Structure formats: structure tokens, C-alpha cells
Amino acid sequence: MSSKYLLTIILIGTITFSCKQSEEKNKTVDLTAEQELIFPKGQKITNNNFVGNAWVEMLVLADSVNRNSVGSVTFEPGARTNWHLHPNGQIILSLDGVGYYQEQGSEKKILRKGDVVKCPANTPHWHGASPDTEFIQVAITSRVDGPTEWFEAVTDEEYMK
Ligand code: MN
């Protein structure tokens, strides 16, 4: 093999590799693109317990043996739950985006991918997306002592504070 031929092969290889790298850099992150999702986005939530648009995919339904329900919720930017409480608390696993979580009487927390919240029992709180970035969370909710109790909507003032 001539050294000129070898040099050409190396050169083509280098150019191809560089192009691939810049393609990766330019890729924008679309959380809703199906290939980026861990769980399906699910069904749009149509009840009055939310402000803005949110979707839920139920992953596990509670039964008499394992009394936890598990759902993946996607909040579009600005969307959030109303104030509510869970009789046995709730665990929130942050999958993607930027979200908010606030318990009554405490500062609002910012949630990012990988953040985990253990919401205490019977504690009014709300959760949702930040104003500019959607938020995807998995909520694990024990149903031992009954369903979620829903309260008033989170006002814009509370949400932005
Ligand atoms: Mn909750």
C-alpha cells in the first residue's frame, strides 16, 4: 500500500469523524421527541386539578398487595398541579427538564433531572414545570389511607415567588 493511499484514507476518516462530532453538538434537545422519552407521554390531563397542559401515563396501578400507584407526568412550561396533599405522602423522581416543587410554608425548590423529593404525608404542596422548560416526573403515591385531596389553584404570584 502506497503511503499516499494511506494518507488519503486517514484524511477521509478524520473529516468524516469531525462532521459527525459537529452534528452531535448542533442537535437540539427536544424532550417530547419519542426517541428521547423513557416512558410514553400518555394522555392529556383534562380534570380541573391542574393549571396549564399536562399529560399522564400510568405505569403501575395500586392493588391490595402493593398499594402504590406510579405515574409519569409531563408538564408543559408554566403548567402545575393545584395545591393538594397525599394521605401517605409521595415520592417524585425527576426525569427531565426543569420543574418546581413547594410545600406549604416552605421555599419553592427547583427540580432537575435526577432530583428526588420525598413529600411527607398530609402536607399541602404543588409541583410542575418552570416557566420556560417542560418537566417530566414520575410520582409514586401510596394509596393506603385514601386518595389525593385537592385544593385551590397555585396563583401566578405563588408560582413566580
Ligand atoms: Mn403531589
Side-chain angles (χ1 to χ4, degrees):
M1 193 185 288
S2 77
S3 61
K4 203 174 176 187
Y5 180 66
L6 196 64
L7 195 68
T8 309
I9 289 178
I10 291 170
L11 197 65
I12 289 170
T14 308
I15 291 167
T16 309
F17 182 68
S18 310
C19 288
K20 275 222 171 107
Q21 277 200 322
S22 62
E23 268 172 36
E24 286 296 312
K25 266 183 215 155
N26 293 336
K27 212 198 279 175
T28 54
V29 178
D30 179 3
L31 301 181
T32 61
E34 285 297 324
Q35 66 271 22
E36 302 286 347
L37 293 179
I38 296 174
F39 301 115
K41 193 172 180 180
Q43 303 299 311
K44 194 166 177 180
I45 297 171
T46 55
N47 63 48
N48 294 322
N49 299 325
F50 290 70
V51 169
N53 294 320
W55 289 259
V56 66
E57 172 77 4
M58 288 314 297
L59 304 173
V60 176
L61 296 176
D63 61 33
S64 59
V65 176
N66 188 327
R67 298 171 78 177
N68 294 289
S69 73
V70 182
S72 178
V73 182
T74 300
F75 297 92
E76 75 172 17
R80 64 264 194 181
T81 68
N82 290 355
W83 287 97
H84 63 283
L85 67 77
H86 310 285
N88 303 104
Q90 185 175 55
I91 294 164
I92 296 167
L93 309 177
S94 308
L95 295 196
D96 220 334
V98 182
Y100 289 162
Y101 169 83
Q102 186 178 26
E103 289 171 13
Q104 197 171 55
S106 299
E107 295 270 289
K108 181 177 79 190
K109 286 180 186 162
I110 296 172
L111 301 182
R112 293 187 173 83
K113 185 175 181 171
D115 288 339
V116 176
V117 173
K118 189 177 185 187
C119 169
N122 294 310
T123 302
H125 68 282
W126 61 270
H127 28 121
S130 55
D132 303 319
T133 308
E134 80 171 344
F135 180 57
I136 305 174
Q137 59 154 60
V138 166
I140 303 168
T141 314
S142 167
R143 303 297 186 193
V144 171
D145 293 317
T148 301
E149 273 183 56
W150 290 97
F151 308 117
E152 66 278 14
V154 176
T155 64
D156 287 342
E157 198 188 349
E158 288 172 313
Y159 177 74
M160 295 309 291
K161 199 174 174 185

mmCIF file of all heavy atoms in Angstrom, residues 84 86 90 125 127, ligand 1:
data_model
loop_
_atom_site.group_PDB
_atom_site.id
_atom_site.type_symbol
_atom_site.label_atom_id
_atom_site.label_comp_id
_atom_site.label_asym_id
_atom_site.label_seq_id
_atom_site.Cartn_x
_atom_site.Cartn_y
_atom_site.Cartn_z
ATOM 1 N N HIS A 84 -52.383 20.412 46.820
ATOM 2 C CA HIS A 84 -53.006 19.126 47.152
ATOM 3 C C HIS A 84 -52.184 18.426 48.222
ATOM 4 O O HIS A 84 -51.063 18.849 48.534
ATOM 5 C CB HIS A 84 -53.123 18.246 45.898
ATOM 6 C CG HIS A 84 -51.801 17.865 45.288
ATOM 7 N ND1 HIS A 84 -51.048 18.746 44.514
ATOM 8 C CD2 HIS A 84 -51.074 16.712 45.340
ATOM 9 C CE1 HIS A 84 -49.935 18.136 44.113
ATOM 10 N NE2 HIS A 84 -49.916 16.899 44.611
ATOM 11 N N HIS A 86 -51.280 14.244 49.876
ATOM 12 C CA HIS A 86 -51.421 12.790 49.775
ATOM 13 C C HIS A 86 -51.418 12.225 51.190
ATOM 14 O O HIS A 86 -50.479 12.489 51.952
ATOM 15 C CB HIS A 86 -50.262 12.189 48.972
ATOM 16 C CG HIS A 86 -50.023 12.888 47.666
ATOM 17 N ND1 HIS A 86 -50.847 12.719 46.576
ATOM 18 C CD2 HIS A 86 -49.072 13.779 47.280
ATOM 19 C CE1 HIS A 86 -50.395 13.464 45.575
ATOM 20 N NE2 HIS A 86 -49.317 14.119 45.981
ATOM 21 N N GLN A 90 -45.731 11.185 49.067
ATOM 22 C CA GLN A 90 -45.466 10.896 47.656
ATOM 23 C C GLN A 90 -43.958 10.980 47.405
ATOM 24 O O GLN A 90 -43.261 11.743 48.074
ATOM 25 C CB GLN A 90 -46.186 11.940 46.792
ATOM 26 C CG GLN A 90 -46.096 11.713 45.293
ATOM 27 C CD GLN A 90 -46.934 12.729 44.543
ATOM 28 O OE1 GLN A 90 -46.771 13.933 44.722
ATOM 29 N NE2 GLN A 90 -47.839 12.238 43.700
ATOM 30 N N HIS A 125 -48.973 20.767 49.101
ATOM 31 C CA HIS A 125 -47.849 21.100 48.220
ATOM 32 C C HIS A 125 -48.346 21.177 46.786
ATOM 33 O O HIS A 125 -49.500 20.841 46.493
ATOM 34 C CB HIS A 125 -46.752 20.030 48.339
ATOM 35 C CG HIS A 125 -47.174 18.708 47.777
ATOM 36 N ND1 HIS A 125 -48.002 17.830 48.443
ATOM 37 C CD2 HIS A 125 -46.919 18.115 46.560
ATOM 38 C CE1 HIS A 125 -48.225 16.759 47.694
ATOM 39 N NE2 HIS A 125 -47.580 16.911 46.542
ATOM 40 N N HIS A 127 -46.559 20.803 42.496
ATOM 41 C CA HIS A 127 -45.394 20.582 41.652
ATOM 42 C C HIS A 127 -45.747 20.869 40.203
ATOM 43 O O HIS A 127 -46.917 20.836 39.837
ATOM 44 C CB HIS A 127 -44.756 19.195 41.804
ATOM 45 C CG HIS A 127 -45.661 18.077 42.226
ATOM 46 N ND1 HIS A 127 -45.849 16.956 41.471
ATOM 47 C CD2 HIS A 127 -46.415 17.909 43.338
ATOM 48 C CE1 HIS A 127 -46.668 16.129 42.103
ATOM 49 N NE2 HIS A 127 -47.042 16.679 43.233
HETATM 50 MN MN MN B 1 -48.186 15.640 44.845
#
